[in-house]
Amino acid sequence: MKNNAASANVWARTPTGGQEFEVIYYNSNYKGSCDAISANWYADRLAHTYNENASFQGAGNPNVWAGCYIFS
């Protein structure tokens, strides 16, 4: 089930050695189109998952957010 979120913020995250992102995915189980938001950043309108997002994860590995729309 998708949660209809249009925006997101990552104010509470602090990078732990290198760039760190919260990655939001269109589908469950970290699949499909994605948006990646860097630590201490705000996305007022998600690009690939606007109103259609189903899962998210924190990621410090650049391979995880490869191909995502990057907010930073």
Side-chain angles (χ1 to χ4, degrees):
M1 177 183 298
K2 298 194 184 333
N3 72 7
N4 295 325
S7 63
N9 66 50
V10 188
W11 296 120
R13 297 283 297 192
T14 302
T16 56
Q19 190 72 28
E20 188 164 333
F21 287 89
E22 289 291 328
V23 183
I24 303 165
Y25 296 91
Y26 186 84
N27 295 317
S28 299
N29 300 315
Y30 318 124
K31 304 288 184 199
S33 299
C34 55
D35 293 314
I37 305 169
S38 67
N40 299 315
W41 200 262
Y42 174 77
D44 63 350
R45 182 176 170 92
L46 296 170
H48 293 211
T49 61
Y50 182 81
N51 285 344
E52 297 290 339
N53 44 71
S55 59
F56 73 94
Q57 68 176 329
N61 182 338
N63 293 328
V64 173
W65 64 78
C68 297
Y69 185 91
I70 304 292
F71 292 91
S72 61

